[in-house]
Amino acid sequence: SGGVGKTTLAVAVYNSIADHFEASCFLENVRETSNKKGLQHLQSILLSKTVGEKKIKLTNWREGIHIIKRKLKEKKRVLILDDVWEQKQLQAIIGSPDWFGGGSRVIITTRDEHLLALHNVKITYKVRELNEKHALQLLSQKAFELEKEVDPSYHDILNRAVAYASGLPLAG
């Protein structure tokens, strides 16, 4: 479901593990980007970030599949695909596990668990709604960009926002 913090969680995971890999790429808003600019645009970003292919011009996403398959095998990479909505997006960007070097990791965020099953994803984690205390803490951090306590004068409005969002503090 939307607003539970899948992207926020994916960013935190990426930031904590990216340094342990030879190459990394975070593809945010896969659905929106593929709708606006095409799958080949996402493939170009992936190739640029992970193998340094800066000026690659793909004519279509099927061409991109062959290049990704050939170029990404050598290194241990971490790749995050955020907000995936169609199986075609997974096929075009990550194909199958043999596209990547040993020890590579691919993390996918989606609202559609069925997509993961279709792509034979073995390990899944369902992000649950936060309880009121944690929802309030996350909203405070995001709204005020601080780690410490928020001024008490804001407590009432923050509590009402959390109640309104029903445990989805990033909804909106």
Side-chain angles (χ1 to χ4, degrees):
S1 58
V4 295
K6 293 181 294 295
T7 300
T8 303
L9 184 59
V11 168
V13 169
Y14 180 79
N15 288 339
S16 68
I17 67 172
D19 290 346
H20 302 290
F21 293 83
E22 297 170 80
S24 61
C25 181
F26 189 109
L27 292 174
E28 196 168 5
N29 299 319
V30 169
R31 171 181 50 136
E32 185 180 329
T33 305
S34 65
N35 286 342
K36 287 183 179 175
K37 298 183 177 182
L39 286 169
Q40 65 270 22
H41 179 74
L42 288 164
Q43 291 171 323
S44 296
I45 293 170
L46 173 63
L47 290 166
S48 172
K49 297 263 188 191
T50 59
V51 294
E53 296 275 345
K54 298 287 182 214
K55 297 189 185 212
I56 193 156
K57 277 285 186 203
L58 301 171
T59 55
N60 61 62
W61 65 273
R62 286 179 182 85
E63 177 190 20
I65 284 175
H66 297 292
I67 296 169
I68 290 170
K69 244 171 120 168
R70 192 174 73 244
K71 298 251 183 192
L72 268 62
K73 282 186 176 183
E74 308 88 43
K75 291 183 182 173
K76 182 172 123 177
R77 304 168 201 283
V78 61
L79 171 62
I80 296 188
L81 279 67
D82 175 54
D83 198 25
V84 174
W85 278 69
E86 299 176 77
Q87 188 176 18
K88 184 166 83 170
Q89 295 164 341
L90 293 176
Q91 292 168 335
I93 301 168
I94 59 169
S96 64
D98 65 350
W99 285 22
F100 302 93
S104 291
R105 295 289 179 262
V106 177
I107 297 170
I108 303 161
T109 70
T110 183
R111 293 182 189 186
D112 186 353
E113 290 178 65
H114 183 64
L115 267 181
L116 301 176
L118 282 173
H119 208 71
N120 294 317
V121 173
K122 303 283 187 252
I123 301 170
T124 62
Y125 176 78
K126 188 173 178 86
V127 179
R128 308 234 182 262
E129 292 176 4
L130 298 173
N131 64 33
E132 195 174 313
K133 177 186 172 197
H134 289 116
L136 184 60
Q137 184 180 10
L138 180 59
L139 178 60
S140 298
Q141 286 175 356
K142 288 292 179 182
F144 298 98
E145 297 182 349
L146 7 122
E147 299 291 327
K148 59 183 185 285
E149 278 296 307
V150 176
D151 187 306
S153 63
Y154 292 109
H155 283 187
D156 185 48
I157 189 81
L158 288 170
N159 283 319
R160 281 189 283 159
V162 166
Y164 178 75
S166 303
L168 305 176
L170 303 179

